[in-house]
Amino acid sequence: MIEMRDITKHYGAVQALKGASITIPAGKITALLGSNGSGKSTLVKVLAGLVSPNSGSILINGQPVVIRSGNDAQARGISTAFQDLSLLPMMTVSDNLLLGNEPRTPFGMVDREKSRQIVKDLMDRFKIRCSPQDYVQSLPSSTQSMLEIAKAVHRNPRVLLLDEATAALHMDEITVLFDILRDLRDQGLSIVFVTHRMHEVFELCDEAVILRGGETVKSGPVTEFTLDDLVYYMTGQRMAHHAPGQDVSETSRQGQAVLEVKNLSLPPRVKDVSMTAHAGEIIGIGGLEGQGQSDFMRAILGAKHKTGGSIRFLGEEVAFRQPAQAVKAGMGLISGERNREAMFPDRTIAENIFAGNAAVGPRFRFLPKKFVRKFSEDAVKTYRIKIGSLKDAASTLSGGNQQKLVIARWIAVGPKLLLLDDPTKGVDIHSRLEIHQILRESAQKGMAVIISASDMDELLEIAQRVYVFYEGRVSGVLQGDSMTQENMVSLMMGFTNEKADGLLMKSKEAQA
Amino acid sequence: MNTLTQSVKKFRRTPAFTGFVLFTIALVMNILMQGINSGTPLAFFKPAFYGSMLMTNAPFILTTMAQSLLLIVGLFDISIGIQLALVNVICIMVPQELGLPIWAGWLAAMGANLLVSAAFGACSSLLRLPAMLVGYAFTFIIKGVNVSIMSKPQGKVPKEVYLPYQTLIGGVLPVALLVIVAIFLMWLLIKRRPLGKHLYAVGGNPRNAYAAGISPVKVQMQANLLKGFIVGVGGICLTLMNASGNPLQAEDYGLRSLIACILGGMGFGGWGSMACGVFGASFFVLIQNAVYYFFSYLSKVITGFAVSTYWQNLVSDVILLLGLLVTIITAREQRKTLKEGLFNQFKGGEARVSR
């Protein structure tokens, strides 16, 4: 049995774990649950020896231990399959499976015959269909996930940690995996299973531990929880028992339809999504992280190529081949990944603001310094960006002001449609409210705004309609009275009416 | 037959395939040019010729092999060339100044180079300083050390010591080739030990290797020491070839060995093998030879035709550049990137190109 007590971990000002505790009994499968950013992955990494906690203790069979490295963890029989995969893409399947655990001949060489046999057995057991000599980088992501788990199991651990191991797996693979996990449990292994899919918890797990905001809020046998309870402890909100239907009738709207998307597909991330945005509207896109929101926006912009469906922009059918064309036609994208996708940190604030204007105008036009300065000054004033001097490097600004700068860059150009991908990520509450104000003003002037956000409160506050994404599809549209946190939570979990009811029944049966 | 096709298929997937293609092209060019120039079609196959070519170039080939080992673990060392000179200087000066036997000089030189390699490893893997900067700094430090030990080219090696290196065993087998083969066998042995797998894992992704229970720092240090040993052997070969010492020679081997590795199909970390180094270095050497023979043939048939070595270098460098292009086309992953890049240029967006 392994116990983790009062584990804390902070990265700078961000507190990832605030005294989280978990008990992992032998011969049981323990579900570790929580919403995004609740600290599940950090807790797993602490036990795997990849993150050293700031305080707290780890006990194995009652004895306190310190786990300093991946090696330490393995020596204590702890093996992990990571969510972000620890495979080496440029090595073969066989090398990856045996890495750090190679069978040896008496002369210290790798025993090839034995290796072949072990790899064959493992691949048969996990029903992995590829050649042991294939390079991992050439395999589909579901096969890679299976390999990651097979690698962890091959180490004959006493404790097996699976960090969102099923996220990329197909149905048949999940069935194979669950059988293996039940087998291992019956052999006395302790298994920790991190997942976002609630039905897997009831199907597979014996115990559940729920984290919220870096703390353990509840733990106990799975049979003591209903689905409603789990969601409640994870989010702090009770789930609506009757989630809203797939379609809400589109009320008549003023303003021209700026964007009409029909059945847009970009497999495997976006499947059959339809959406309409009118001038003056602010549309929200909600959902857990990575449900296809970003890809959907980039497909509209032409940064990714759709494989199916149609996009009409300002009444005309369009298929942009690259973002430059979309920008020229009157779109703008603001990304929450400031450093990666929006900022030129070493250039001046003025240049950063002017970048949007520079992108839409003729390439060889003359740009007097005065003109650039005036344009930037106006933007700084209008959008209340707090700066020292226009000539300072953009990296000198605070996160919130950097984000306002990026928003100003695009709004100042006056696009007809503004796409915002989680624009307030890591932005303080005050700047966030200001950004909302700017967006509202722009919408009033006739711009259509589509904003995705990982924070549901933000969407409920600013958007007139919210499309909730789940596994690449729109699981429901909320507007008017249906825009409540409860409805949003259940749609984010992928529950439509029947699905939610079915699971509720199941969990109640299990309880009885 | 089936197994042969399978082996060929398997070889085509390995990183060394690119280097092999280039090597074969250069070899054919060299054989042709030399044959045309000398009037004897098979001049290349004269033991005296290939023996002296291997002897002269063994230090460079060995240096490239050492460099390839570092590239596998995600490091590289541009001071590797001047390290050859360090070995050479110590090999000469220890017997000359201290009156010790020659083997003691070799041992001291080897020890010194292992020490330098350990220091390089400490800076680049333990302190995580950029390998480029460390290599640059080490070049100047080692140069200084070399010059302070040996202020100007001097010294000699007894005939009975250097002559065996320069002979052909049985009249056909150059000793230099045996040295290269011995080092290559050593690599094959390492590759089949767990350490071999760990070298690739650390080069591929140190974080993931760490998660698998491998210590990246330890593995990179081991790679550095192996590199030090191979460069030590190369330095001794250099000493036996020149039979004298020069504190400032072979500096350009640093960059050249790196280029040869890339030509041979290596990537920066976790991709490629020592065979890439061998093929790349051989391509380098053979192309320069071929271009030399080409120009000397021209000067024979065109009266009054004379070309400075600068022009010869220009031509051989252009061929090297073309060689780099070939590496892009033959390496599968790079070919894919190139296709996608071109696709993006003309069609835009994130293309899905089938391989």
Side-chain angles (χ1 to χ4, degrees):
Chain A
M1 189 171 82
I2 293 191
E3 272 179 89
M4 299 175 80
R5 285 190 196 155
D6 302 322
I7 306 286
T8 61
K9 175 72 193 173
H10 53 80
Y11 300 98
V14 181
Q15 189 91 26
L17 290 175
K18 295 186 243 181
S21 300
I22 179 173
T23 304
I24 309 166
K28 296 233 163 113
I29 300 178
T30 307
L32 182 57
L33 307 171
S35 50
N36 287 117
S38 59
K40 302 179 303 282
S41 283
T42 313
L43 196 64
V44 168
K45 280 184 181 143
V46 168
L47 199 52
L50 298 190
V51 167
S52 45
N54 298 109
S55 69
S57 55
I58 302 173
L59 291 91
I60 299 184
N61 294 330
Q63 298 293 316
V65 293
V66 181
I67 300 174
R68 285 194 189 84
S69 67
N71 229 344
D72 254 11
Q74 274 170 38
R76 298 185 191 285
I78 301 167
S79 189
T80 317
F82 294 97
Q83 174 190 7
D84 42 358
L85 304 182
S86 68
L87 299 173
L88 290 145
M90 289 187 292
M91 291 177 79
T92 63
V93 168
S94 165
D95 285 347
N96 264 291
L97 284 175
L98 300 175
L99 190 67
N101 208 5
E102 301 86 357
R104 298 173 193 210
T105 63
F107 305 105
M109 311 290 279
V110 176
D111 191 333
R112 287 189 177 187
E113 200 41 55
K114 223 178 200 172
S115 301
R116 243 190 299 271
Q117 198 52 50
I118 294 174
V119 169
K120 187 179 175 298
D121 290 348
L122 264 178
M123 289 175 72
D124 285 349
R125 186 174 176 197
F126 281 84
K127 297 198 170 64
I128 298 171
R129 281 176 288 272
C130 64
S131 158
Q133 295 310 316
D134 281 344
Y135 289 107
V136 165
Q137 62 188 1
S138 67
L139 301 174
S141 56
S142 65
T143 312
Q144 293 191 16
S145 286
M146 260 330 222
L147 284 173
E148 175 83 17
I149 302 166
K151 181 178 153 190
V153 170
H154 166 56
R155 294 166 184 276
N156 289 326
R158 282 185 290 162
V159 182
L160 182 63
L161 310 174
L162 301 171
D163 188 4
E164 286 191 47
T166 53
L169 295 183
H170 299 305
M171 280 312 285
D172 50 337
E173 290 165 323
I174 290 176
T175 315
V176 172
L177 176 67
F178 282 9
D179 287 341
I180 295 172
L181 292 181
R182 287 190 194 104
D183 231 33
L184 292 170
R185 170 189 63 189
D186 296 341
Q187 289 166 24
L189 239 73
S190 316
I191 299 173
V192 177
F193 190 77
V194 180
T195 185
H196 273 306
R197 296 180 178 164
M198 292 304 126
H199 59 96
E200 292 179 350
V201 176
F202 293 108
E203 199 181 326
L204 180 76
C205 302
D206 308 305
E207 302 279 322
V209 176
I210 303 161
L211 297 185
R212 191 168 73 223
E215 289 172 284
T216 308
V217 287
K218 189 80 184 168
S219 56
V222 168
T223 46
E224 283 179 12
F225 294 99
T226 62
L227 177 68
D228 201 2
D229 296 335
L230 290 183
V231 174
Y232 171 69
Y233 289 120
M234 280 167 66
T235 61
Q237 307 288 338
R238 284 281 166 194
M239 190 174 82
H241 281 223
H242 288 281
Q246 176 76 20
D247 258 304
V248 174
S249 65
E250 306 245 330
T251 52
S252 64
R253 267 172 268 278
Q254 305 105 354
Q256 174 203 8
V258 174
L259 180 78
E260 294 161 87
V261 179
K262 285 219 171 71
N263 312 106
L264 184 106
S265 287
L266 177 76
R269 309 230 181 85
V270 181
K271 297 159 198 159
D272 196 22
V273 173
S274 300
M275 181 183 289
T276 310
H278 296 80
E281 255 190 328
I282 300 181
I283 309 256
I285 296 183
L288 293 167
E289 255 176 66
Q291 304 296 316
Q293 303 96 315
S294 296
D295 294 282
F296 173 70
M297 287 194 172
R298 280 162 182 74
I300 295 175
L301 200 70
K304 300 215 165 167
H305 279 192
K306 63 181 169 61
T307 55
S310 65
I311 301 170
R312 287 176 78 81
F313 181 58
L314 299 172
E316 276 179 40
E317 177 108 17
V318 292
F320 298 120
R321 294 196 306 235
Q322 41 188 301
Q325 294 174 337
V327 168
K328 281 221 160 64
M331 288 189 191
L333 172 79
I334 294 167
S335 167
E337 298 283 344
R338 282 189 295 282
N339 295 324
R340 204 159 55 83
E341 290 187 306
M343 295 286 290
F344 306 102
D346 298 331
R347 306 303 305 176
T348 65
I349 293 167
E351 283 173 319
N352 265 283
I353 294 177
F354 197 74
N357 187 313
V360 288
R363 200 164 296 171
F364 289 104
R365 77 192 138 136
F366 182 62
L367 292 175
K369 265 191 178 171
K370 235 187 201 167
F371 175 66
V372 175
R373 196 176 58 228
K374 178 82 178 39
F375 184 89
S376 316
E377 265 170 7
D378 287 350
V380 166
K381 224 175 277 163
T382 316
Y383 304 111
R384 302 173 287 271
I385 308 171
K386 287 193 193 67
I387 63 165
S389 150
L390 273 175
K391 285 183 187 157
D392 289 344
S395 57
T396 57
L397 297 178
S398 72
N401 277 303
Q402 285 187 9
Q403 197 61 36
K404 278 199 277 181
L405 182 154
V406 177
I407 290 173
R409 171 194 296 169
W410 285 112
I411 295 183
V413 179
K416 296 278 182 296
L417 171 69
L418 192 61
L419 303 164
L420 301 103
D421 186 8
D422 213 351
T424 55
K425 198 187 243 178
V427 168
D428 63 274
I429 180 74
H430 181 67
S431 304
R432 179 180 288 200
L433 292 176
E434 283 193 323
I435 289 173
H436 288 175
Q437 194 49 40
I438 294 169
L439 292 178
R440 282 197 195 95
E441 285 164 12
S442 306
Q444 269 163 16
K445 286 179 196 151
M447 193 185 289
V449 176
I450 299 182
I451 174 170
S452 94
S454 45
D455 179 0
M456 63 173 156
D457 292 336
E458 178 172 10
L459 289 178
L460 294 174
E461 196 184 311
I462 188 171
Q464 282 140 16
R465 243 181 319 152
V466 179
Y467 291 73
V468 184
F469 277 52
Y470 178 75
E471 295 196 336
R473 290 177 198 280
V474 174
S475 60
V477 185
L478 301 172
Q479 69 174 358
D481 292 340
S482 70
M483 277 185 43
T484 62
Q485 282 186 332
E486 292 82 354
N487 286 339
M488 190 111 153
V489 168
S490 40
L491 286 176
M492 278 162 81
M493 298 286 170
F495 295 126
T496 50
N497 277 340
E498 317 92 67
K499 239 182 170 177
D501 283 349
L503 266 168
L504 281 169
M505 293 282 284
K506 222 176 178 180
S507 61
K508 273 176 188 150
E509 274 168 24
Q511 222 176 340
Chain B
M1 192 62 204
N2 250 349
T3 44
L4 182 73
T5 343
Q6 265 179 357
S7 310
V8 171
K9 256 191 187 162
K10 206 174 148 194
F11 180 57
R12 279 195 61 170
R13 292 192 325 151
T14 63
F17 179 70
T18 312
F20 175 75
V21 171
L22 286 179
F23 167 76
T24 314
I25 294 172
L27 187 68
V28 170
M29 272 176 73
N30 193 336
I31 292 170
L32 285 178
M33 287 299 157
Q34 197 175 351
I36 292 170
N37 182 51
S38 65
T40 337
L42 298 178
F44 178 84
F45 297 99
K46 281 187 186 157
F49 168 71
Y50 65 72
S52 94
M53 187 177 73
L54 273 166
M55 182 189 74
T56 324
N57 292 299
F60 174 59
I61 295 174
L62 288 168
T63 311
T64 310
M65 288 161 87
Q67 189 76 274
S68 68
L69 200 59
L70 282 192
L71 275 172
I72 290 171
V73 291
L75 295 174
F76 61 90
D77 183 358
I78 56 165
S79 72
I80 203 167
I82 202 73
Q83 287 172 29
L84 278 178
L86 173 74
V87 175
N88 170 247
V89 163
I90 297 177
C91 279
I92 294 289
M93 294 310 265
V94 166
Q96 184 180 312
E97 299 298 314
L98 305 177
L100 292 172
I102 294 202
W103 61 262
W106 290 14
L107 223 57
M110 189 61 94
N113 205 51
L114 286 175
L115 216 63
V116 167
S117 299
F120 182 90
C123 291
S124 54
S125 13
L126 207 62
L127 303 178
R128 295 187 192 180
L129 299 173
M132 189 74 193
L133 291 185
V134 180
Y136 192 63
F138 267 54
T139 304
F140 287 98
I141 296 169
I142 297 170
K143 250 195 223 173
V145 172
N146 287 1
V147 173
S148 63
I149 299 175
M150 181 191 271
S151 55
K152 58 177 192 290
Q154 57 181 286
K156 59 181 193 309
V157 178
K159 209 172 177 182
E160 63 272 19
V161 177
Y162 75 73
L163 220 49
Y165 174 71
Q166 302 185 354
T167 52
L168 297 164
I169 297 172
V172 286
L173 195 60
V175 175
L177 182 65
L178 283 185
V179 176
I180 294 171
V181 169
I183 295 290
F184 194 73
L185 285 178
M186 183 187 91
W187 160 245
L188 288 184
L189 224 61
I190 290 169
K191 208 178 165 188
R192 286 190 54 181
R193 299 179 81 88
L195 174 63
K197 309 288 177 201
H198 298 181
L199 291 172
Y200 282 98
V202 169
N205 187 330
R207 193 191 69 99
N208 289 358
Y210 182 73
I214 297 165
S215 158
V217 173
K218 196 171 138 195
V219 171
Q220 286 188 334
M221 279 306 271
Q222 284 166 333
N224 266 297
L225 290 176
L226 283 168
K227 174 226 94 184
F229 173 75
I230 300 172
V231 172
V233 174
I236 292 170
C237 288
L238 186 72
T239 310
L240 293 175
M241 178 187 87
N242 290 339
S244 69
N246 179 351
L248 297 177
Q249 66 187 327
E251 189 186 334
D252 62 329
Y253 282 16
L255 220 48
R256 276 174 60 189
S257 63
L258 196 58
I259 294 164
C261 284
I262 306 298
L263 282 168
M266 301 214 59
F268 285 91
W271 188 251
S273 76
M274 204 173 262
C276 297
V278 175
F279 286 137
S282 307
F283 171 72
F284 218 111
V285 169
L286 290 169
I287 280 296
Q288 278 174 341
N289 263 342
V291 170
Y292 166 77
Y293 287 122
F294 175 66
F295 278 102
S296 43
Y297 176 69
L298 285 187
S299 63
K300 264 188 204 167
V301 291
I302 306 170
T303 35
F305 182 85
V307 173
S308 77
T309 49
Y310 291 109
W311 283 101
Q312 293 191 18
N313 286 342
L314 178 75
V315 172
S316 55
D317 289 348
V318 167
I319 296 176
L320 289 181
L321 195 69
L322 291 176
L324 274 179
L325 216 69
V326 173
T327 60
I328 294 173
I329 296 163
T330 48
R332 199 162 141 192
E333 278 310 303
Q334 289 182 16
R335 188 166 62 220
K336 189 179 134 217
T337 318
L338 180 76
K339 264 191 203 168
E340 275 177 10
L342 289 174
F343 195 87
N344 275 340
Q345 277 306 311
F346 295 113
K347 293 224 164 170
E350 280 190 11
R352 276 174 299 281
V353 179
S354 60
R355 281 190 246 157

